[in-house]
Amino acid sequence: MGHDDQTAETSLAYIAYVEAWAFCSSPAEVRLKHDASTGEIKGTIAVVAMTRIALGDPEFEEAFPEYVHAKS
């Protein structure tokens, strides 16, 4: 395994960690991380926020009004 492969695996592990963290954290904490993030991490957090909104979480709906379109 080359250096690039290790970096990719670490990145995937970190993305998985952020996704799990976002599912278990408060909307306010997730909002702060979302606003401080860029790229894939921000996108991952956005997907979690939209999923929580689609599942009917009103606190996430309030914290992420830009993703209310995900509401079922």
Side-chain angles (χ1 to χ4, degrees):
M1 177 183 290
H3 176 70
D4 289 335
D5 293 335
Q6 289 174 339
T7 303
E9 284 183 21
T10 301
S11 295
L12 289 175
Y14 183 65
I15 289 167
Y17 166 79
V18 169
E19 182 177 28
W21 169 85
F23 267 108
C24 299
S25 297
S26 74
E29 291 174 315
V30 176
R31 181 81 230 188
L32 287 173
K33 180 77 171 170
H34 175 272
D35 292 348
S37 298
T38 59
E40 223 171 325
I41 297 300
K42 188 169 194 151
T44 297
I45 294 169
V47 169
V48 170
M50 287 186 272
T51 301
R52 298 276 302 260
I53 290 168
L55 292 172
D57 189 324
E59 292 177 353
F60 267 80
E61 191 175 328
E62 186 178 317
F64 292 91
E66 69 271 36
Y67 300 133
V68 170
H69 65 276
K71 189 174 181 177
S72 344

